Coordinates of all heavy atoms in Angstrom, one line a residue:
Chain A
N41 N 71.0 -71.9 144.9 CA 70.8 -73.3 144.8 C 69.3 -73.7 144.8 O 68.9 -74.7 145.5 CB 71.6 -74.1 145.8 CG 71.7 -75.6 145.5 OD1 71.7 -76.0 144.3 ND2 71.8 -76.4 146.5
T42 N 68.5 -72.9 144.2 CA 67.0 -73.1 144.3 C 66.5 -74.1 143.3 O 65.6 -74.8 143.6 CB 66.3 -71.8 144.0 OG1 66.8 -71.2 142.8 CG2 66.4 -70.8 145.1
I44 N 66.6 -77.7 141.1 CA 67.2 -79.0 141.0 C 67.3 -79.3 139.5 O 68.3 -79.7 139.0 CB 66.4 -80.1 141.7 CG1 66.5 -79.9 143.2 CG2 66.9 -81.5 141.3 CD1 65.7 -80.8 144.1
K76 N 57.8 -76.7 143.1 CA 58.6 -77.6 144.0 C 58.8 -78.9 143.3 O 57.9 -79.4 142.7 CB 57.8 -77.7 145.3 CG 58.4 -78.6 146.4 CD 57.6 -78.6 147.7 CE 58.2 -79.2 148.9 NZ 57.4 -79.2 150.1
D77 N 59.9 -79.5 143.5 CA 60.3 -80.8 142.8 C 59.6 -82.0 143.5 O 60.2 -83.0 143.6 CB 61.8 -80.9 142.7 CG 62.1 -81.9 141.6 OD1 61.2 -82.2 140.7 OD2 63.3 -82.4 141.5
L78 N 58.4 -81.8 144.0 CA 57.7 -82.9 144.6 C 56.5 -83.2 143.7 O 55.8 -84.2 143.9 CB 57.2 -82.5 146.0 CG 57.0 -83.6 147.1 CD1 58.4 -84.1 147.4 CD2 56.3 -83.1 148.3
T87 N 62.5 -85.4 141.4 CA 63.4 -86.1 142.4 C 62.9 -86.1 143.8 O 63.5 -86.9 144.6 CB 64.8 -85.4 142.4 OG1 64.7 -84.1 143.1 CG2 65.4 -85.2 141.0
A88 N 62.0 -85.2 144.2 CA 61.6 -85.1 145.6 C 62.8 -84.8 146.5 O 62.8 -85.1 147.7 CB 60.9 -86.3 146.1
G89 N 63.9 -84.2 145.9 CA 65.1 -83.9 146.7 C 65.9 -85.1 147.1 O 66.7 -85.0 148.0
S90 N 65.6 -86.2 146.5 CA 66.2 -87.5 147.0 C 67.1 -88.1 145.9 O 66.9 -88.0 144.7 CB 65.1 -88.5 147.3 OG 65.7 -89.7 147.8
L119 N 62.0 -76.9 141.7 CA 62.7 -76.3 142.8 C 63.1 -77.2 143.9 O 62.4 -78.2 144.3 CB 61.8 -75.1 143.4 CG 61.5 -74.0 142.4 CD1 60.4 -73.1 142.9 CD2 62.8 -73.2 142.0
N120 N 64.2 -76.9 144.5 CA 64.8 -77.7 145.6 C 63.9 -77.8 146.8 O 63.1 -76.9 147.0 CB 66.1 -77.0 146.0 CG 67.2 -78.0 146.5 OD1 66.8 -79.1 147.0 ND2 68.4 -77.6 146.5
C121 N 64.0 -78.8 147.5 CA 63.2 -79.0 148.7 C 63.9 -80.0 149.6 O 64.8 -80.7 149.2 CB 61.8 -79.5 148.4 SG 61.7 -81.0 147.5
D122 N 63.5 -80.1 150.9 CA 64.0 -81.1 151.8 C 63.6 -82.4 151.2 O 62.5 -82.6 150.6 CB 63.4 -80.9 153.2 CG 64.1 -79.9 154.0 OD1 65.3 -80.1 154.2 OD2 63.5 -78.9 154.5
E123 N 64.4 -83.4 151.4 CA 64.2 -84.8 150.9 C 62.9 -85.3 151.3 O 62.6 -85.4 152.5 CB 65.3 -85.7 151.3 CG 65.2 -87.1 150.6 CD 66.3 -88.1 151.0 OE1 67.1 -87.8 151.9 OE2 66.3 -89.2 150.4
F124 N 62.0 -85.7 150.3 CA 60.7 -86.1 150.5 C 59.9 -85.2 151.4 O 59.0 -85.6 152.1 CB 60.6 -87.5 151.1 CG 61.0 -88.6 150.1 CD1 62.2 -89.2 150.0 CD2 60.1 -89.0 149.1 CE1 62.6 -90.1 149.1 CE2 60.4 -89.9 148.1 CZ 61.6 -90.5 148.1
A125 N 60.2 -83.9 151.3 CA 59.6 -82.8 152.1 C 59.7 -83.0 153.6 O 58.9 -82.5 154.4 CB 58.1 -82.7 151.7
M126 N 60.8 -83.7 154.0 CA 61.0 -83.9 155.5 C 62.1 -83.0 155.9 O 63.3 -83.3 155.8 CB 61.4 -85.4 155.7 CG 60.3 -86.4 155.3 SD 60.8 -88.0 155.6 CE 59.4 -88.9 154.7
N130 N 65.4 -76.9 154.6 CA 66.0 -77.2 153.3 C 67.5 -77.6 153.4 O 68.2 -77.3 152.5 CB 65.8 -76.1 152.3 CG 65.4 -76.7 150.9 OD1 64.5 -76.3 150.2 ND2 66.2 -77.6 150.4
E131 N 67.8 -78.3 154.4 CA 69.2 -78.8 154.6 C 69.3 -80.3 154.3 O 70.4 -80.9 154.3 CB 69.7 -78.5 156.0 CG 69.9 -77.0 156.2 CD 70.2 -76.7 157.7 OE1 69.3 -76.8 158.5 OE2 71.4 -76.4 158.0
T132 N 68.1 -81.0 154.1 CA 68.2 -82.4 153.9 C 68.1 -82.9 152.5 O 68.2 -84.0 152.2 CB 67.0 -83.1 154.7 OG1 65.8 -82.9 154.0 CG2 66.9 -82.7 156.1
S133 N 68.1 -81.9 151.5 CA 68.1 -82.2 150.1 C 69.4 -82.9 149.7 O 70.5 -82.4 150.0 CB 67.8 -81.0 149.3 OG 68.1 -81.3 147.9
F134 N 69.3 -83.9 148.9 CA 70.4 -84.6 148.3 C 71.1 -83.6 147.3 O 72.3 -83.7 147.1 CB 70.0 -85.8 147.5 CG 71.1 -86.5 146.7 CD1 72.1 -87.1 147.4 CD2 71.1 -86.5 145.3 CE1 73.2 -87.8 146.7 CE2 72.1 -87.1 144.6 CZ 73.2 -87.8 145.3
Y135 N 70.4 -82.6 146.8 CA 70.9 -81.7 145.8 C 71.5 -80.4 146.5 O 71.7 -79.4 145.8 CB 69.9 -81.3 144.8 CG 69.4 -82.6 144.2 CD1 68.3 -83.3 144.8 CD2 70.1 -83.2 143.1 CE1 67.9 -84.6 144.3 CE2 69.7 -84.4 142.6 CZ 68.6 -85.1 143.2 OH 68.3 -86.3 142.7
G136 N 71.8 -80.5 147.8 CA 72.5 -79.4 148.5 C 71.5 -78.5 149.2 O 70.3 -78.4 148.9
V138 N 69.7 -75.0 150.4 CA 69.3 -73.8 149.7 C 69.7 -72.6 150.5 O 69.5 -72.6 151.8 CB 67.8 -73.9 149.5 CG1 67.3 -72.5 148.9 CG2 67.4 -75.0 148.5
G150 N 61.8 -74.7 155.5 CA 61.5 -75.9 154.7 C 60.2 -76.5 155.0 O 59.5 -76.1 156.0
S151 N 59.7 -77.5 154.3 CA 60.5 -78.1 153.3 C 60.4 -77.4 151.9 O 61.3 -77.7 151.1 CB 60.0 -79.6 153.1 OG 58.7 -79.6 152.6
S152 N 59.5 -76.5 151.7 CA 59.4 -75.8 150.4 C 60.4 -74.7 150.4 O 60.1 -73.5 150.0 CB 58.0 -75.3 150.2 OG 57.0 -76.3 150.4
G153 N 61.7 -74.9 150.8 CA 62.7 -73.9 150.9 C 63.1 -73.3 149.6 O 63.4 -72.1 149.4
G154 N 63.3 -74.2 148.6 CA 63.7 -73.8 147.2 C 62.6 -72.9 146.7 O 62.8 -71.9 146.0
S155 N 61.3 -73.2 146.9 CA 60.2 -72.4 146.4 C 60.2 -71.0 147.1 O 60.1 -70.0 146.4 CB 58.9 -73.1 146.8 OG 58.8 -74.4 146.1
T170 N 54.2 -77.7 149.0 CA 53.3 -78.7 149.7 C 53.6 -78.5 151.2 O 54.6 -78.0 151.6 CB 53.6 -80.1 149.4 OG1 55.0 -80.4 149.7 CG2 53.4 -80.4 147.9

Side-chain angles (χ1 to χ4, degrees):
Chain A
N41 196 30
T42 50
I44 291 177
K76 185 177 186 177
D77 202 15
L78 210 68
T87 71
S90 183
L119 297 168
N120 209 336
C121 57
D122 278 302
E123 187 181 4
F124 286 102
M126 297 178 192
N130 218 129
E131 292 171 286
T132 73
S133 168
F134 175 68
Y135 304 89
V138 172
S151 67
S152 310
S155 297
T170 58

